[in-house]
Amino acid sequence: MRSRAALGLKIAAIGGLLFLHLPILLIFIYAFTTEDKSYQWPPPGLTLKWFAVTWNRPDVWAALGLSLRVAAISTAIAMLLGTLCAAAVARSRFFGREAVSLLVILPIALPGIITGISLRSAFSVADIPFSFWTIVLGHATFCIVVVYNNAVARFRRTSGSLIEASMDLGATHFQTLRFVIMPNMATALLAGGMLAFALSFDEVIVTTFTAGQQQTLPIWMLEELVRPRQRPVTNVVAMVVVLVTFLPILGAYHLSRGTETVAGQGK
Amino acid sequence: MADVAARARNSARAAALSRVSDALWRRPSLLLLALVVPPLLWLGIVYLGSLFALLAHSFFSIDEFSGLVKYELTLKTYAELFRASNFDILVRTILMASAVTVAAAVVAFPIAYFAARHARGRWKAAFYLGVMLPLWSSYLVRVYSWKLILAKEGILNWVFETLRLTWLLEAYLSVPGIGGNSLSVSWTGTFLVFLYIWLPFMILPVQAALERVPPSMLEASGDLGARPGQTVRNVVLPLALPGIAAGSIFTFSLTMGDYIIPQIVGTSARMIGQAVYQFQGTAGNIPLAAAFAVVPVVVMGFYLTLARRTGAFDAL
């Protein structure tokens, strides 16, 4: 039963996977096309010229720099808050525990535009001008859930008796944290952090509401998508973005492999 | 000397730390508080505070003459939602979200079934990564790839042309409602991109649900004389339903709130997300934007209550 899949099923499954991946491959081909006025297929010729052109574009570098800085700081905040929350929810039962886990998931369960416009109206009510930090505020909020999911899964599988044993043997809370909990949690946290980074690096919907005039890389891309001005540069940037986000995803996969965690469950 | 002083400092610090630790041990609620308060403060202030600001705005209205927000409680803005042009937006969005959800379930099921029941070892990892990579890789780039595919001079038209099937495509595009001048400005185009972007969100929970179905149950069904089709219909599908419901939460909610995909691929008729974006941006009508944004929240509220009944939350 298990080994013999019906032919139709096999075709449907593989067709589905191709549907998911061929478009991304197409981007890679377009990055090399010589055509710069339209999306002509098949490409009339192949060239490496656009990589050099993109390399010399200060606006692309500025957007990339902003995106990386926002992602780094949001990830750091999310890792701290997500881990704390996961520790509380996984290790004890208290009044409102369900509410806390719902609250963490909410920013990602509701459509991004809700989070975006909520933050926007809060900023306008509180008279907060748009800045680097308003972007971080939004990103950290929806990144918490990613770290939380990874951490809570690991906490559940870390046996509580380990911690009790450590305390019984005379370790303080801090020593237990340092020598027992941290080594157990490290890979889960790192995986969560990587996914949070990828999520923040890529986020555009919330960012359009919280960025003001600043351009993160996704916002730069969005403007190119709405009003294409420099197709070849966009093609190259798109390809680089795919490659850059693949790295943390593959990293997170390797870190959480064999631990039964589905990394990034319920993004 | 310096050594002794440093050691004294260290031991003083250690003593202070262990005092803190003892206090935490004696009163576990203190530890819990220390863990839970920082994230709650952040989410409570930043997120719930913002949601509340949004909700509040939807009860204000805009002054027709000055164009400024009048801070007086009123239901006028909600009444505007039911004006024909605005109501169309709501209906259109919910229809699209439903269509995408149904299609995603149909396309996802064989992938999830194959990955859960037939793929082993290397293949299993390949399927897993094959779903995870698109899920996490850049949303915008993936939308962009469809702009390339659906463009008039793009690969899809080229395929139809090479197969001498352009007439078929044109016949399809002339169907009112789903067609249009070209695929990239038709509802079919928008639908395809939505399906493509949110598909992984459906595959993962369905796969997780199918993995929990014990193989012995399928064997029992076969032993009792069910044909494979019957087993799928009467045993596998009901057991996969919580997974499908869980996935549909994502596909439905994400489609309903998206404003970028219909802006880039599709007709000029708007969906909820675009309406929210335009009313808060160029039109400066934050109350109406807020009222529009409340609709998906309410719809999702109903949806989540229904989904909870099917056990979707245990399948997440």
Side-chain angles (χ1 to χ4, degrees), chain B residues 169-231:
Chain B
L169 184 65
E170 269 164 14
Y172 179 81
L173 283 174
S174 62
V175 179
I178 51 176
N181 273 335
S182 79
L183 272 177
S184 57
V185 292
S186 69
W187 283 112
T188 309
T190 321
F191 168 81
L192 277 176
V193 182
F194 272 131
L195 176 64
Y196 172 71
I197 300 284
W198 307 135
L199 186 59
F201 289 90
M202 183 61 96
I203 299 175
L204 287 178
V206 175
Q207 185 182 344
L210 286 174
E211 263 163 11
R212 279 196 289 262
V213 179
S216 57
M217 217 175 247
L218 304 185
E219 281 162 21
S221 165
D223 290 348
L224 292 169
R227 277 173 279 113
Q230 283 177 314
T231 304

Side-chain angles (χ1 to χ4, degrees), chain B:
Chain B
M1 270 320 271
D3 190 38
V4 173
R7 211 176 290 162
R9 250 200 326 272
N10 270 345
S11 72
R13 221 182 63 195
L17 278 180
S18 75
R19 261 202 306 282
V20 175
S21 177
D22 285 350
L24 291 178
W25 177 245
R26 253 177 262 119
R27 310 190 48 188
S29 55
L30 220 57
L31 174 64
L32 182 62
L33 226 56
L35 288 177
V36 91
V37 162
L40 272 195
L41 275 184
W42 180 284
L43 288 169
I45 293 175
V46 175
Y47 195 66
L48 285 187
S50 307
L51 270 185
F52 184 76
L54 173 74
L55 197 65
H57 261 117
S58 69
F59 287 104
F60 298 144
S61 66
I62 201 111
D63 192 292
E64 275 145 39
F65 298 107
S66 61
L68 293 174
V69 179
K70 261 198 307 203
Y71 291 98
E72 273 170 36
L73 291 185
T74 166
L75 287 174
K76 216 175 86 191
T77 315
Y78 278 103
E80 264 184 66
L81 281 186
F82 291 95
R83 273 214 316 246
S85 61
N86 291 338
F87 198 69
D88 277 354
I89 296 179
L90 301 182
V91 172
R92 190 179 299 134
T93 308
I94 290 172
L95 281 181
M96 176 61 87
S98 316
V100 169
T101 300
V102 172
V106 171
V107 180
F109 193 81
I111 305 178
Y113 191 84
F114 191 86
R117 306 221 67 89
H118 296 289
R120 285 287 163 272
R122 212 171 266 278
W123 270 102
K124 182 121 184 155
F127 260 88
Y128 179 69
L129 275 180
V131 178
M132 286 308 273
L133 281 179
L135 173 65
W136 286 94
S137 68
S138 175
Y139 160 86
L140 269 182
V141 171
R142 291 167 65 223
V143 177
Y144 181 62
S145 71
W146 279 87
K147 203 174 160 118
L148 302 177
I149 294 172
L150 297 176
K152 258 207 160 79
E153 68 276 16
I155 188 167
L156 203 61
N157 276 325
W158 176 81
V159 168
F160 275 103
E161 216 167 283
T162 345
L163 295 175
R164 307 252 183 278
L165 284 174
T166 315
W167 57 271
L168 189 68
L169 184 65
E170 269 164 14
Y172 179 81
L173 283 174
S174 62
V175 179
I178 51 176
N181 273 335
S182 79
L183 272 177
S184 57
V185 292
S186 69
W187 283 112
T188 309
T190 321
F191 168 81
L192 277 176
V193 182
F194 272 131
L195 176 64
Y196 172 71
I197 300 284
W198 307 135
L199 186 59
F201 289 90
M202 183 61 96
I203 299 175
L204 287 178
V206 175
Q207 185 182 344
L210 286 174
E211 263 163 11
R212 279 196 289 262
V213 179
S216 57
M217 217 175 247
L218 304 185
E219 281 162 21
S221 165
D223 290 348
L224 292 169
R227 277 173 279 113
Q230 283 177 314
T231 304
V232 167
R233 214 170 25 251
N234 298 325
V235 180
V236 178
L237 264 185
L239 288 170
L241 201 62
I244 295 176
S248 74
I249 295 175
F250 291 111
T251 52
F252 197 83
S253 157
L254 291 166
T255 308
M256 211 163 41
D258 197 283
Y259 76 93
I260 287 177
I261 293 172
Q263 186 186 356
I264 291 170
V265 177
T267 67
S268 54
R270 291 173 298 174
M271 290 182 52
I272 290 181
Q274 290 162 287
V276 171
Y277 188 72
Q278 280 168 13
F279 280 124
Q280 66 85 35
T282 42
N285 190 345
I286 292 191
L288 188 54
F292 260 113
V294 168
V295 175
V297 178
V298 173
V299 173
M300 277 323 285
F302 279 115
Y303 202 98
L304 288 175
T305 342
L306 279 179
R308 188 194 277 275
R309 293 224 184 112
T310 67
F313 290 112
D314 306 318
L316 278 180

Side-chain angles (χ1 to χ4, degrees), chain A residues 2 19-21 23 26 38-39 41 84 92 109 113-114 141 172-173 202 208 218 225 235 242 249 253 262-263 267, chain B residues 21 32 35 42 118 120 128 130 132 135-136 138-141 144-145 147-148 153 196 253 257 259 264 273 293:
Chain A
R2 155 152 306 187
F19 174 61
L20 281 175
H21 287 271
L26 195 69
S38 74
Y39 300 122
W41 181 271
L84 287 178
S92 41
I113 195 158
I114 308 286
T141 305
T172 64
H173 269 96
D202 179 44
T208 47
L225 256 74
N235 291 338
V242 169
I249 302 161
Y253 171 70
V262 179
K267 173 186 166 184
Chain B
S21 177
L32 182 62
L35 288 177
W42 180 284
H118 296 289
R120 285 287 163 272
Y128 179 69
M132 286 308 273
L135 173 65
W136 286 94
S138 175
Y139 160 86
L140 269 182
V141 171
Y144 181 62
S145 71
K147 203 174 160 118
L148 302 177
E153 68 276 16
Y196 172 71
S253 157
Y259 76 93
I264 291 170

